[in-house]
Amino acid sequence: MTLASAIDSAEAAIATARELATRFADGAAERDRERRLPHAEVEYLSDAGLFSLTVPARFGGPDLPPSVVAEVFRTLATADGSLAQIPHSHYVYLTALRLAGPEGLQRRIFEQVLDGARIANAQSERGGRTVADVATTLTRTPDGAHLDGEKFYCTGSPYAHLLAVLARDADSGEQVIAFVPADTPGIAIADDWNGLGQRTTGSGTVRFDDVAVPLDAVFTRSPAVAEPTGYGAFAQLLHVAIDAGIARGALGAAAEFVRTTSRPWFEAGVDRAQDDPLVIQRFGELTVAVRAAEAALVVAAQAVDATFDAPGPDTAAEASLAVATAKVLADRAATEVPSALFEVSGTRSAAGDAGLDRYWRDARTHTLHDPVRYKVRHLGRFTLNEERPPLHGVV
């Protein structure tokens, strides 16, 4: 690990993200095509300080708000939907630590993050009846505890120094989070993620076989997710940012392709594809979709900032509702625009070496994280019956 560069303002964080996104865009299609894990690119993000944005000021961090983190994610996603996904669970579990972790563990982990440590999730499992089921077990012993189980969708695990493990306490039955060094004996990280999109996120399997865990690295999850803290809204906000970024990236790629490569349809009676009135009309429609998603993201980010500043039932509900709205719009833009990219660009855009299909594959894969139909349901319930969204960490 290397000492992360100091980012002490929103302006510095966003400027750094823009600079790196420009650098990363050039090799994104090749990394996707070859499924080449972006170890070097992730190190650039770390060295630039983009993994330490939310470290609290009392531990020496920049303590930047959710809106800044979201804009960083959106910016990175315009260039590479996989790279933008890799820090997601890092920031979500740092938020869980801030909300529910003991002071000593907070100090230890946040100081490691300032020194360059990256966190990956070990949360989801494939064997349960639903995604909420957790079979991985933490068993307490006289001298600590140990973990046993198997996780999947462990995004960022090949790049991580620490794993945030969601487990069930064998004694109490409660869900707990354990922060464990990724090189702890008994941990096996498998690079077996084979999704059709987001190919280089490293979202594969992690196995735990009698992994020793000190008890001071374990805390109960419920204070973060079962109280009106804004935890779920923040996690979802970052998903919105990734979707909005992919949509913007696809729109830009389509425009560039039409300007430089596409031929006009003969019935248009124009010399350049970009002057075809029907192509212009379609680009206008797609621009509306992207701008609507981006505007909703800004509103949602402000609402999450507000609930982090003043947590409570009202601010948390508004944050969840605003993020749910943005999630629906970003989901639609992220799936529509990359698909329409081929519609407006013509046959040449379907060439495999163009690599334009990655935008749709990344969006289609990422938008499967959780169904937006439930976001619409929560919005309808609130409008009709003033029923606040549930507190379960996914809205």
Side-chain angles (χ1 to χ4, degrees):
M1 292 183 289
T2 58
L3 183 65
S5 299
I7 288 179
D8 57 4
S9 69
E11 293 76 14
I14 293 168
T16 300
R18 288 173 179 167
E19 177 185 345
L20 289 178
T22 300
R23 182 187 305 180
F24 296 157
D26 287 342
E30 183 180 351
R31 286 193 298 273
D32 171 83
R33 185 165 48 248
E34 298 176 357
R35 199 183 170 278
R36 176 167 52 81
L37 297 186
H39 287 283
E41 289 78 7
V42 171
E43 289 295 340
Y44 278 124
L45 292 175
S46 281
D47 291 345
L50 292 182
F51 276 85
S52 60
L53 302 178
T54 63
V55 175
R58 71 180 189 277
F59 300 127
D63 212 356
L64 296 177
S67 56
V68 175
V69 183
E71 178 57 19
V72 166
F73 273 56
R74 190 200 65 80
T75 301
L76 295 174
T78 63
D80 188 331
S82 285
L83 267 175
Q85 181 67 32
I86 290 167
H88 182 274
S89 54
H90 172 92
Y91 279 107
V92 171
Y93 275 96
L94 286 183
T95 300
L97 176 67
R98 179 180 61 81
L99 293 170
E103 181 75 10
L105 181 61
Q106 288 190 42
R107 178 171 297 279
R108 186 160 76 246
I109 298 299
F110 283 124
E111 287 180 352
Q112 289 181 46
V113 168
L114 286 177
D115 283 341
R118 297 184 293 269
I119 299 164
N121 83 86
Q123 175 172 310
S124 292
E125 300 176 6
R126 291 196 285 189
R129 185 178 62 86
T130 75
V131 71
D133 293 338
V134 176
T136 298
T137 304
L138 181 133
T139 306
R140 298 175 187 271
T141 64
D143 56 352
H146 63 258
L147 284 166
D148 292 279
E150 182 175 300
K151 300 288 188 176
F152 194 62
Y153 305 117
C154 298
T155 297
S157 52
Y159 320 101
H161 305 99
L162 297 165
L163 297 174
V165 187
L166 182 63
R168 189 164 298 280
D169 190 305
D171 294 330
S172 67
E174 290 187 298
Q175 289 188 357
V176 295
I177 296 170
F179 280 88
V180 188
D183 59 358
T184 302
I187 295 177
I189 297 174
D191 178 26
D192 56 356
W193 169 242
N194 65 349
L196 66 87
Q198 292 195 305
R199 291 176 170 176
T200 62
T201 58
S203 301
T205 302
V206 177
R207 298 180 180 88
F208 301 89
D209 182 13
D210 197 27
V211 175
V213 182
L215 287 177
D216 63 0
V218 179
F219 60 93
T220 303
R221 182 174 184 253
S222 58
V225 300
E227 299 294 332
T229 60
Y231 171 87
F234 174 65
Q236 290 294 302
L237 180 73
L238 300 186
H239 284 309
V240 174
I242 293 168
D243 289 340
I246 292 172
R248 172 59 71 178
L251 185 64
E256 177 66 15
F257 196 90
V258 169
R259 286 191 296 262
T260 61
T261 309
S262 296
R263 295 184 296 179
W265 183 243
F266 71 94
E267 291 180 281
V270 297
D271 294 329
R272 303 184 305 174
Q274 68 206 67
D275 296 325
D276 183 329
L278 297 183
V279 171
I280 291 172
Q281 176 70 22
R282 188 66 176 120
F283 265 98
E285 294 167 350
L286 298 175
T287 301
V288 169
V290 173
R291 282 180 171 266
E294 291 172 340
L297 173 64
V298 171
V299 172
Q302 292 171 347
V304 179
D305 284 357
T307 197
F308 272 39
D309 289 340
D314 292 337
T315 55
E318 177 54 31
S320 289
L321 293 166
V323 172
T325 303
K327 185 75 162 64
V328 173
L329 291 172
D331 184 290
R332 292 172 181 172
T335 51
E336 178 189 9
V337 177
S339 178
L341 182 157
F342 301 98
E343 170 194 336
V344 296
S345 301
T347 308
R348 293 180 177 183
S349 64
D353 58 358
L356 296 175
D357 58 313
R358 70 183 175 91
Y359 292 102
W360 183 87
R361 289 186 291 98
D362 284 350
R364 184 66 282 177
T365 301
H366 181 256
T367 53
L368 297 177
H369 270 86
D370 53 285
V372 293
R373 58 187 177 271
Y374 280 88
K375 312 299 184 193
V376 175
R377 187 182 189 190
H378 295 315
L379 289 163
R381 283 177 166 174
F382 183 80
T383 299
L384 279 174
N385 303 317
E386 297 185 346
E387 182 178 338
R388 288 174 172 152
L391 296 172
H392 53 44
V394 195
V395 65

